Amino acid sequence: MSQAIAYCDYNATTPLRPAAMAAITRSLQDVGNPSSVHAPGRSAKGVMEAARETVARGVGARARDVIFTSSATEALHLALDAARDSYGDLIVSELEHDALWEATRDADEMAPLRATIDGVVDLTHLEELLAAAKRPLVAVMLANNETGVIQPVSRVAAMVREAGGILLVDASQAVGRIPVDIAALDASYLVVSSHKMGGPPGAGALVLASGAAFAISRRGGGQEQGRRPGTENVPALAGFAAAFDADGVSESVRIAALRDRFEQALRARHGDVVIFGETAPRLPNTSLFALPGAPAEIALIALDLEGVALSSGAACSSGKVKSSRVLAAMGVEPALARCALRASFGWATTDEDVDRLLAALDKVRARLGALEGAA
Ligand code: PLP
């Protein structure tokens, strides 16, 4: 980005792509509820249905199997409700985002699926859990928001199918960065988020495999074929579709080169840096690393003062840094996990942003080292 801030936090939310901004602006100028039968209503419906076609095409689904929601969180919860008559036990990977984890962790029928030190779901443990489960619903994300590690979802799907279960895949961080195809993944439910791919916040989708069960859980105005009532956010959906059309996957080579250069330089400057999940396949844009002795909560503030925006390994909610559940699941020592910082790049990241990040990290480390020396 060529603004004053070097923004390196695309996994939290991405800057809006110009094409998405243009589509939203156009749609905001129109009046019309997509459920209305008059011409403005039909026009809004046209925009929404074109968006549905685009999202469906982007993940290899049929348009009628795309249910628009306000967020990935809502889509995940809708999937749980939709599948409620189709499963007995629930197996949820410990790597899942809080959006799903917090919604399922206290359920009696839930068994957590462990992760390996590489940040990948433990397939041996999955085998054990599946052997003990009755009609399981298994939730494994496609790419982790903290480490960027891509999960072996097709292998998981084969195991789940063999056990007579169904699969829910949170692809929020993967869509627009790596190819995603619901049939190739063999998922029954796939979740997508607009603001992780250059679209606006306030839009997401639950995508169904053809024939996936859908128990109606919400009643209202009958929108989205009665599956998710509430007037659709047409401008946001227009922006969501424009972000899909921008084909972020084709930018991946450039972004991976930026990320790799960042990690090489980091290693050259700080020999003790630890990069999490680097032995596993990762998203091209994500680097979760720790500079031992530099706690994330202090580093983040110092980086912010340098005009560099990144995030701690863990989700920051209400401005507070929580320790990372994902790193704990990977068996990372708490003292090291406290130092985890996540840099995530995207469509507008420049070489200059990466240089500024590296320079700011040098400064922060030097300052923290000086403090330690003075103590
Ligand atoms: N799933 C993953 C993997 C995420 O990274 C996030 C957001 O960070 C979510 C779900 C929630 O997305 P939303 O903000 O669209 O509800």
Side-chain angles (χ1 to χ4, degrees):
M1 288 181 103
S2 54
Q3 284 116 335
I5 302 285
Y7 185 81
C8 305
D9 202 10
Y10 279 65
N11 287 12
T13 200
T14 52
L16 199 59
R17 288 179 183 273
M21 176 89 83
I24 294 166
T25 309
R26 256 194 322 273
S27 173
L28 280 170
Q29 285 159 4
D30 293 335
V31 61
N33 181 324
S35 297
S36 301
V37 293
H38 47 58
R42 291 198 308 278
S43 168
K45 188 170 169 79
V47 171
M48 182 173 80
E49 293 312 322
R52 199 184 307 280
E53 292 280 350
T54 301
V55 172
R57 203 175 332 110
V59 296
R62 301 178 306 185
R64 75 179 102 134
D65 292 323
V66 173
I67 305 162
F68 285 131
T69 62
S70 62
S71 61
T73 303
E74 188 196 347
L76 286 162
H77 295 194
L78 189 60
L80 291 174
D81 289 344
R84 68 176 176 213
D85 299 334
S86 315
Y87 71 88
D89 292 324
L90 193 54
I91 297 173
V92 179
S93 116
E94 290 182 349
L95 301 172
E96 296 309 291
H97 190 272
D98 274 354
L100 183 68
W101 181 258
E102 289 296 325
T104 54
R105 56 179 280 191
D106 293 329
D108 290 340
E109 70 278 19
M110 201 282 257
L113 167 60
R114 290 196 295 260
T116 68
I117 182 78
D118 300 323
V120 179
V121 287
D122 182 338
L123 295 179
T124 311
H125 189 221
L126 177 61
E127 208 168 355
E128 286 163 24
L129 292 176
L130 286 173
K134 280 191 237 64
R135 296 189 307 137
L137 169 64
V138 179
V140 172
M141 68 200 332
L142 184 49
N144 183 264
N145 45 296
E146 292 184 34
T147 59
V149 170
I150 298 169
Q151 303 301 315
V153 170
S154 299
R155 287 189 60 199
V156 168
M159 293 167 72
V160 171
R161 184 170 281 277
E162 171 90 19
I166 48 178
L167 181 63
L168 163 59
V169 175
D170 177 358
S172 303
Q173 294 287 354
V175 168
R177 295 182 181 149
I178 57 172
V180 176
D181 183 283
I182 189 169
L185 293 171
D186 199 8
S188 293
Y189 305 95
L190 187 85
V191 166
V192 181
S193 175
S194 155
H195 72 109
K196 310 288 185 189
M197 58 185 303
L206 170 61
V207 183
L208 310 176
S210 61
F214 197 100
I216 299 282
S217 57
R218 295 138 209 230
R219 302 204 185 260
Q223 290 89 349
E224 299 295 294
Q225 300 174 61
R227 298 182 291 196
R228 191 272 186 180
T231 300
E232 295 91 343
N233 184 351
V234 178
L237 298 178
F240 185 12
F244 249 104
D245 269 339
D247 187 15
V249 176
S250 62
E251 297 163 349
S252 287
V253 175
R254 185 187 78 84
I255 292 166
L258 286 174
R259 193 271 312 272
D260 293 349
R261 179 169 83 76
F262 167 69
E263 290 188 343
Q264 276 156 20
L266 196 60
R267 199 164 261 134
R269 294 165 188 227
H270 308 277
D272 58 346
V273 68
V274 177
I275 297 173
F276 300 104
E278 65 173 334
T279 49
R282 279 184 299 161
L283 290 174
N285 77 319
T286 307
S287 180
L288 181 68
F289 61 95
L291 296 170
E297 68 269 24
I298 299 175
L300 279 186
I301 295 167
L303 289 166
D304 189 37
L305 292 173
E306 294 294 324
V308 175
L310 70 169
S311 128
S312 68
C316 293
S317 53
S318 341
K320 291 197 196 101
V321 179
K322 288 190 290 177
S323 68
S324 164
R325 181 169 47 72
V326 166
L327 288 178
M330 289 164 62
V332 174
E333 284 292 314
L336 186 62
R338 270 193 68 207
C339 299
L341 293 170
R342 181 187 68 191
S344 51
F345 307 123
W347 67 270
T349 307
T350 60
D351 269 312
E352 194 200 334
D353 292 327
V354 172
D355 291 338
R356 283 186 58 190
L357 169 57
L358 286 163
L361 285 168
D362 285 351
K363 263 198 187 172
V364 168
R365 194 104 200 262
R367 217 175 286 153
L368 286 173
L371 282 179
E372 220 168 72

